[in-house]
Amino acid sequence: MSTDFGLIVEPGCGRWRELIAGRPEGGWRDRTLAEWRQRTRGELGVATDRPVIATGHQTLLWHPGILVKYLAVQAMTAAETSHAAAHLIVDQHVGAFGTFDVPVRRDDGALALAPVKLTEERADVPMGEHPAFTPAQPVLPHPAALPSVQEGLDKIVAAVAAHARAPNAALQMAAALGDLMAPWVGPWPGVCSSDLMKTSLAETLLSEMARDPRRCAACYNAAVKAVPGSGIGPLSITDQRVELPLWRLGPDGRRQHADDGDARRWLEERDDELLPRALLLTLLVRLGMCDLFVHGTGGATYDRAMETWLMNWLGLRAAPVAVVTATLRLPLDDGNETSRSPQAARLMARRIWHDPESAGDTPSRVKKELLAAIDAAPRRSRERYQAFLQLHDRLEVLRHEHREAVETAQRRLELALVNDPITRRRDWPFPLYPAEMISGLAETVDRCVAESP
C-alpha cells in the first residue's frame, strides 16, 4: 500500500507560517485590511483573536484528493494552536449532489459501476435553496467490490439521514461530511457562501461595483483573459447593461446572471437573492475571512485570475494560498498483476498463445528446438519453409493441449481491459476507502507538518 499517496503540498508546510505572517496589509476605503478581516470574521462567527487557515469545497461527497485539504488544515492548526481553522460551505453550488458511483463486482470477477442516487435533486437549483431530504436506501445490482465500499455506503446514508432536518441540502450535506470526517478532522466553524454576502465587506464591494460597473467588469475580463486556463468566462458589457460576478436567484430558485441593476436594487432593498460567483466568492474569503486559504489544483488556477482582477480593480492583494492534493485508489485488484493491468495481461496472453509451454520470458524447450530447425535451414529454402510450418502446426497442438491456460490468459486480458478504467479512478467518495488508508493519508500529512522547519 502506498505510503506517500502522491501527496503534493505547495509551498511546503514550513512556509505556511511565513505566508500567514506576510499576509497583505494596507487599507481600502476607511479601514485597514486588518480591520476588514477583524470585522468580517466577527460578522461570520470566525475567530478574531488569531490567524485563520481556511479551506472549502462544494458540499459533495468528496474524494480523498479534496479531503486531504482538510487534513492539512487540521494538522497545521493542531501543531500551531495559535491558529484557527474555518470551513467554507459553497451553498450556491448547482449540480447533482446526491448521486455518485460505487464499484461492484460481477459473478465473473469483472468490476462495474453502480450509480447511487440518494435523492431526486433539482440539478439547476443551488443546494442552499434545495430542501433537506431523507436519503433513499441504495440497492446495488451486484455485491460491493470491497467490504469498505459497502461499509462506507452505509455510513454515507446514515450520516445524511441524521441531518434530514437541516435548514437546506447544503447544510445537511456539510453536517454529514463533518460526521464522516470526524475521525480525522474538526469540528470547525462553517461559513456559507450566502453568509459572506451579508457582511459589510460584501456590501462595500457591491457599492463599488454599482458606482462604476464598467470598470469592474473590464478589469475582471482582462484578468480572465490573462489566465486562459482558469475556466472562467468573461462578463458581458453592453450599452444597456453590465454583467457582474454575481448570481441572481429567480422566482423558481434557479440561478441567473446578475447585472449592475441587480446590484443597485440589492443595495437599496438588502434582499438575499444575490450570491457570489466563483471569483467574487474567493475574493471575499481571501480578503475578509482568512489569512491563508488551502486550495486544490483547480481552485489555485482560477484564483490567479481573481488576484489579477483584485489588483487591477482595487489595487489590493488577497491573503495567500497553499495547494494540497493527493491521489488514492481503492485496492480493487485481486492480487494478480494480469487481472489489473491490461499491459501485463496482454503480454501474458501473447506469450501463452505463441509458446503455451513457456514458464517465463524464455522460450520453452520445444519451441527452442523448432526455432533452431528454422534457423539451421538455408534462407528462402523449402526446408526452412517446412520447418516454419512445422513450428505452427506444433503450436496449434500445444494450444489445444494447454487450452485451459490459453483461455485463462484470454479471460484475464478481457477482465483487465474492463477493470482497468475502474481501478485507476481516484474520485470515489472518501468513506468508501478502507479507514486505514485514510488514516495513513492523515498520518502522512501530520508528518509533513511535523517535519517542516
Side-chain angles (χ1 to χ4, degrees), residues 61-80:
L61 290 161
W62 304 320
H63 59 78
I66 295 170
L67 173 66
V68 72
K69 300 189 302 181
Y70 292 80
L71 298 176
V73 175
Q74 177 70 30
M76 182 58 75
T77 52
E80 291 285 345

Side-chain angles (χ1 to χ4, degrees), residues 192-250:
C192 292
S193 305
S194 53
D195 294 334
L196 287 160
M197 290 299 294
K198 302 169 186 174
T199 63
S200 302
L201 178 60
E203 179 183 341
T204 308
L205 286 166
L206 260 69
S207 68
E208 184 66 24
M209 291 182 188
R211 185 185 67 81
D212 192 350
R214 292 183 181 278
R215 182 171 180 276
C216 172
C219 290
Y220 182 103
N221 288 350
V224 167
K225 185 177 181 180
V227 187
S230 68
I232 304 292
L235 301 173
S236 171
I237 304 174
T238 69
D239 292 340
Q240 290 73 37
R241 66 185 290 274
V242 177
E243 184 184 346
L244 293 174
L246 296 159
W247 296 115
R248 180 182 73 243
L249 295 182

Side-chain angles (χ1 to χ4, degrees), residues 30-200:
D30 58 345
R31 294 185 177 89
T32 66
L33 292 185
E35 289 171 336
W36 278 116
R37 287 192 292 269
Q38 189 81 356
R39 178 162 184 168
T40 302
R41 291 173 195 175
E43 293 169 343
L44 294 172
V46 175
T48 58
D49 59 343
R50 50 200 159 141
V52 173
I53 305 175
T55 191
H57 199 75
Q58 294 92 336
T59 52
L60 312 176
L61 290 161
W62 304 320
H63 59 78
I66 295 170
L67 173 66
V68 72
K69 300 189 302 181
Y70 292 80
L71 298 176
V73 175
Q74 177 70 30
M76 182 58 75
T77 52
E80 291 285 345
T81 55
S82 61
H83 292 37
H87 168 209
L88 174 65
I89 300 169
V90 185
D91 60 349
Q92 87 267 33
H93 169 71
V94 167
F97 57 84
T99 302
F100 56 96
D101 290 334
V102 299
V104 295
R105 196 175 296 276
R106 302 195 313 239
D107 292 342
D108 63 358
L111 295 170
L113 299 178
V116 171
K117 194 172 186 66
L118 299 181
T119 185
E120 292 290 339
E121 72 267 269
R122 278 190 60 185
D124 58 348
V125 172
M127 288 182 68
E129 300 296 312
H130 193 290
F133 58 93
T134 299
Q137 185 63 43
V139 178
L140 302 181
H142 303 283
L146 294 169
S148 69
V149 171
Q150 185 62 59
E151 293 166 7
L153 182 56
D154 293 341
K155 289 178 182 177
I156 289 170
V157 173
V160 174
H163 299 282
R165 296 184 180 275
N168 56 58
L171 290 174
Q172 178 185 17
M173 294 297 288
L177 283 162
D179 291 349
L180 294 165
M181 290 192 298
W184 307 283
V185 174
W188 304 344
V191 175
C192 292
S193 305
S194 53
D195 294 334
L196 287 160
M197 290 299 294
K198 302 169 186 174
T199 63
S200 302

Side-chain angles (χ1 to χ4, degrees), residues 361-430:
D361 295 332
T362 59
S364 64
R365 180 185 60 80
V366 172
K367 189 166 184 179
K368 282 182 179 178
E369 292 174 355
L370 293 169
L371 289 172
I374 294 173
D375 191 53
R379 295 181 62 83
R380 302 181 185 278
S381 67
R382 181 173 181 80
E383 292 84 358
R384 190 180 183 93
Y385 179 62
Q386 289 298 325
F388 176 79
L389 293 179
Q390 185 179 1
L391 168 65
H392 284 274
D393 288 344
R394 182 56 181 161
L395 285 177
E396 283 297 325
V397 172
L398 290 173
R399 286 170 192 148
H400 180 74
E401 292 177 356
H402 297 272
R403 181 174 59 216
E404 184 176 346
V406 172
E407 291 175 350
T408 297
Q410 185 60 37
R411 282 196 303 271
R412 282 183 171 172
L413 174 57
E414 293 168 356
L415 193 62
L417 292 171
V418 170
N419 289 354
D420 183 59
I422 298 177
T423 59
R424 285 191 291 106
R425 281 184 61 162
R426 62 182 290 270
D427 60 349
W428 310 106
F430 74 85

Side-chain angles (χ1 to χ4, degrees), residues 11-31:
C13 298
R15 285 205 54 214
W16 289 20
R17 302 170 183 85
E18 177 186 336
L19 291 173
I20 291 170
R23 60 188 176 273
E25 298 301 339
W28 178 59
R29 291 290 184 99
D30 58 345
R31 294 185 177 89

Side-chain angles (χ1 to χ4, degrees), residues 323-366:
V323 176
V324 180
T325 189
T327 297
L328 272 73
R329 293 186 171 86
L330 282 169
L332 293 170
D333 61 84
D334 61 4
N336 189 309
E337 176 67 21
T338 58
S339 294
R340 65 179 184 263
S341 165
Q343 295 78 15
R346 189 174 288 110
L347 288 172
M348 175 67 76
R350 181 180 178 87
R351 179 181 63 77
I352 291 179
W353 178 258
H354 289 285
D355 193 359
E357 290 190 332
S358 174
D361 295 332
T362 59
S364 64
R365 180 185 60 80
V366 172

